[in-house]
Structure formats: C-alpha cells, structure tokens
Amino acid sequence: MRSEDIYDAKMYSKRSMEIVRGQGARLWDTTGKEYVDMGASIGVMNVGHCNEYVIQAIQEQTRRLMYIYSIFYNDQRAELLEKLAEISPQSLQRSFLCNSGTEAVEAAIKFARAYTKKKEIIAAMQAFHGKTLGALSATWDAKYKTLFEPLVPGFKHVVFGDIASLHQSISRNTAAVLLEPIQGEAGVRIPSNSYLQQVRELCNENDALLILDEVQTGFGRTGEMWACQHFGVDPDIMCVAKSIAGGFPMGAMITRDDICVLPQASHSSTFGGSPLACAAALASIRYIEEKKLCQRAGELGNYFLRQLNEIKSERIREVRGKGLLIGVEMREHIKPLLLQLAERGVLAISSGKTILRFLPPLVIEKEQIDFTVNQLVDLIEHG
Ligand code: PLP
C-alpha cells in the first residue's frame, strides 16, 4: 500500500499514477510516462507548470521576505493590490487577500451581509462555490452537504440561466446573488448572452449585491481576463483564486470601495496576502498579460471546439465551451473513458458522471490539442 493511502485523510478519489514533474501543459509520472494536463491540475495552472516568471519571482522573494502579517505594509502586497484593481472591472478597487477559492467566497458572503445589513443569499442550482460551511451553503450538490448540516441559514437556490426563477425568489430581503458567470463544476454551463445583465438589473432593483465567482473562469480561462466581460456585466464583488498565482495557493475577494465597511479585524487571514504569494501572483499576471494568454485561450478554445464538434458520434450528446473551458457531454458514464484517455497520455477531468471537462493550461500547444482530440476520436470510434 502507498504511504498516501495509509496516512492521508482519504478525501480524494486517487488516480493510480504518481506525478512528479511538470512543464507547460506536460506532466510526467515516476515511470517517466508523459501526459498532457488537460485539466490544468483542476484549473490552477493557466500559465503552465513550472512557469519561468513564477519560479524566478518565488526564488527572489523567498530570499527577501517570505512572510509578514498584513498589519505591516509590504511592497509586493501593495503592487499586487494595485494590479488587481487595474485588471478587475472598473469599480472593483479593493481586495481581501486569502488562500483559496472557498475563502474568497466566505469573505464575499460576509462582506455582502455586513454591507447590506441583510441576510439572504441567492445562489444557483448545480453551483459550486467551495466546501467550507459558508461557501458550502451556496454550493448546490447535496452529496457535499447532507453530512454537515446544519449549514449556514439564509441561502436559497434558483435555476441557473432562468431569469424567471430569480425573479420569483429575489426580494428586498436579498443581500446578494452569488453566481459563477459560467458554471464550471456543473459541466460548463454557459448562460444566454442576456442572462447576467438581467440578473444585474434585478439586483439593482432590489438593492442586492451581485457576487460573481470567477474562481474557475478568471485569469484568461474563457478568452477574456474575466468571464463576466463576455456578458458586459460588472459585479459588486468578484471572487478569484485557482490560477491567480501560477500554482501557489492564493485567493482574493475583490470589491468596491464603499462595500469595505466591516469593522476592522472582523475578518482576517494569517497567511492571506503573504509577500511570497503576492510575488507569485504578480509574476503570473505579468505572464498572462505579456504573452497575451487571454487572446490565446480564445483562439485555441475556438480551434479545440471546432475539432470536437467535428467528431460525429452517437455517444456524444453535446460539446460546449468558452475559450479553454470546454465540456463534452456524453450519453454514458465517462469514468472508463477518463481512464483510457489517461492510459494514452491525456489527463482530462470529469464534471459529474457524464461530462468530460477540458481546461488545459492556456500555454497549451495546438499539437497537444490535436493529440487529445485524436485519442478521443480513436477511443470513441474503436475504444
Ligand atoms: N468556486 C468555484 C467556481 C470553483 O470552481 C472552486 C473550486 O473548484 C471553488 C470556488 C473553491 O475553490 P478552492 O478549492 O480553492 O477552495
């Protein structure tokens, strides 16, 4: 038995390979077998594994200052906060720095309740926002929730993409509507062009905040820096994490100046905004900008979607995606397909039981996309 199987808390359904090295969109296991990382290690590695900018920034910062609490000013933190304000939707100027997506969502819920002095949060069915108790209350799937009840009161869920459903639920008691602009874990669900604008209007009419969870869709993933840009909608609060710091743990809740009215120390995080995480994030964002990765994700995403749409098979129900966030919904359980793809050197991930999800590093090469599509075609036709 392997050490991890003996000593970890058994929370992860393990794949058999032991991954020990990565470069760009490639991974290698202990036997030297090479894989294409078609999941960007669960949406984290937008700038690719072992990104040179990130390595250099981390090396330099570890020699200067790894950690200092946020009660002290710090050059790296200052620079990152300024950068986040620059690249975020215009009115979002202040960030609470933390260490993960679920923490960014926790912060959003607390800031929204404190600012509006209201309690009700409306999220969407099939949503995923994390697994700490507050974020979990917004997450939809009962399989993540039932064991841990009672969760946080005050959460309601509406049908994602259906404005009538929100219309029925929202009222002047609503503190915030919390949505992924494109649902990721749910299997890449893209709402109509007008949906988020209509949500924005309903929020305005009811003095409710709009919180967009861009944890999976942010930092170029969908072909724009933020998925909300596709829909021309600015949120009041945005949650980011995953790919923010090139593989280094970090998250942020980014919001408007006037929303930051919580009493000091009513929310905090020991490690949030450490100089090391900030240096890694600055390097990762600089890489995304200099290498035009948003544009690259848009172009390669279209290319990938075209290739996938050309596969003619009864086994495929639907192909959908935006940029390099792509779902292939099958008419069957996909676990065997995932294992077969892995054997052939393609590490994809699943959304539920029937949807293959591809969200590779944005630095992926066309040849690696071709390789993936060829393996998939071969498996679907002959597998
Ligand atoms: N929000 C979304 C949209 C996510 O996809 C995830 C993770 O998959 C989270 C929140 C939770 O992020 P983390 O696992 O970093 O806590």
Side-chain angles (χ1 to χ4, degrees):
M1 222 184 185
R2 292 166 157 189
S3 302
E4 285 195 53
D5 291 332
I6 300 170
Y7 294 113
D8 91 346
K10 301 198 282 189
M11 285 297 103
Y12 300 91
S13 148
K14 296 278 198 193
R15 303 233 182 141
S16 60
M17 59 290 268
E18 181 172 346
I19 303 294
V20 288
R21 193 157 69 84
Q23 186 63 59
R26 289 169 212 275
L27 290 168
W28 287 268
D29 70 12
T30 34
T31 69
K33 185 174 159 73
E34 186 180 315
Y35 302 88
V36 189
D37 183 3
M38 282 315 248
S41 299
I42 204 84
V44 170
M45 302 308 307
N46 283 16
V47 297
H49 291 277
C50 295
N51 179 280
E52 273 311 315
Y53 284 30
V54 178
I55 291 174
Q56 198 189 338
I58 288 179
Q59 280 178 341
E60 285 172 10
Q61 192 58 36
T62 48
R63 293 205 185 88
R64 214 176 313 129
L65 183 69
M66 274 196 236
Y67 177 72
I68 188 76
Y69 192 38
S70 294
I71 59 168
F72 296 101
Y73 291 101
N74 173 261
D75 59 338
Q76 298 300 308
R77 193 185 306 116
E79 211 182 311
L80 178 64
L81 288 168
E82 210 174 313
K83 189 76 205 172
L84 289 174
E86 178 200 317
I87 63 175
S88 296
Q90 211 182 358
S91 60
L92 307 190
Q93 291 294 300
R94 288 186 179 271
S95 294
F96 176 80
L97 301 176
C98 51
N99 310 285
S100 67
T102 196
E103 274 184 78
V105 172
E106 291 291 333
I109 294 166
K110 288 174 78 173
F111 273 64
R113 282 186 167 175
Y115 172 73
T116 60
K117 301 192 173 57
K118 299 191 269 187
K119 295 188 173 27
E120 182 182 275
I121 309 283
I122 299 181
M125 293 177 189
Q126 274 77 46
F128 187 80
H129 296 291
K131 292 180 182 166
T132 52
L133 290 175
L136 187 60
S137 306
T139 289
W140 166 253
D141 201 330
K143 76 170 183 268
Y144 299 136
K145 298 166 78 163
T146 314
L147 259 182
F148 311 109
E149 286 170 350
L151 298 179
V152 177
F155 284 77
K156 284 206 248 180
H157 290 82
V158 295
V159 180
F160 182 70
D162 178 355
I163 199 65
S165 173
L166 179 62
H167 204 279
Q168 262 177 11
S169 283
I170 199 168
S171 73
R172 298 201 72 79
N173 294 327
T174 306
V177 176
L178 164 58
L179 297 173
E180 298 157 85
I182 295 172
Q183 288 191 326
E185 300 296 308
V188 190
R189 306 278 174 191
I190 307 167
S192 71
N193 284 339
S194 60
Y195 175 66
L196 284 180
Q197 282 174 11
Q198 292 170 314
V199 173
R200 174 76 273 178
E201 282 161 24
L202 281 180
C203 286
N204 294 350
E205 284 165 22
N206 289 281
D207 282 332
L209 298 182
L210 175 59
I211 305 171
L212 289 183
D213 178 344
E214 294 256 12
V215 167
Q216 189 162 145
T217 49
F219 296 101
R221 166 63 51 203
T222 67
E224 295 281 358
M225 186 60 88
W226 315 114
C228 63
Q229 290 172 265
H230 293 291
F231 305 102
V233 167
D234 286 3
D236 304 298
I237 300 180
M238 189 166 78
C239 302
V240 301
K242 284 206 190 277
S243 61
I244 182 173
F248 202 86
M250 188 175 224
M253 180 217 62
I254 311 171
T255 188
R256 297 197 318 248
D257 178 61
D258 61 302
I259 290 174
C260 295
V261 291
L262 277 69
Q264 266 179 1
S266 59
H267 195 61
S268 61
S269 161
T270 297
F271 283 114
S274 82
L276 193 50
C278 293
L282 279 166
S284 177
I285 296 168
R286 186 160 56 84
Y287 191 85
I288 290 170
E289 290 185 324
E290 281 181 19
K291 305 292 177 186
K292 300 190 171 33
L293 290 193
C294 302
Q295 196 183 329
R296 186 184 171 85
E299 288 164 7
L300 285 180
N302 287 340
Y303 175 75
F304 198 175
L305 275 172
R306 270 201 310 277
Q307 307 288 312
L308 290 168
N309 273 313
E310 273 170 25
I311 308 176
K312 298 285 170 252
S313 169
E314 279 299 301
R315 294 172 68 185
I316 298 180
R317 186 187 297 276
E318 192 183 37
V319 174
R320 50 183 180 261
K322 198 82 161 165
L324 284 170
L325 178 58
I326 293 174
V328 179
E329 184 164 354
M330 305 292 295
R331 289 200 165 88
E332 64 198 39
H333 281 204
I334 55 154
K335 199 164 178 206
L337 201 52
L338 272 183
L339 295 177
Q340 287 169 314
L341 279 170
E343 262 170 40
R344 290 164 172 246
V346 176
L347 297 180
I349 50 182
S350 60
S351 288
K353 291 191 169 63
T354 58
I355 301 165
L356 279 174
R357 197 164 24 135
F358 296 111
L359 59 162
L362 311 185
V363 296
I364 192 163
E365 302 291 340
K366 245 183 179 166
E367 296 70 45
Q368 293 168 317
I369 294 177
D370 292 341
F371 175 74
T372 300
V373 174
N374 289 340
Q375 298 311 315
L376 188 63
V377 170
D378 205 38
L379 280 172
I380 286 179
E381 285 175 0
H382 311 115

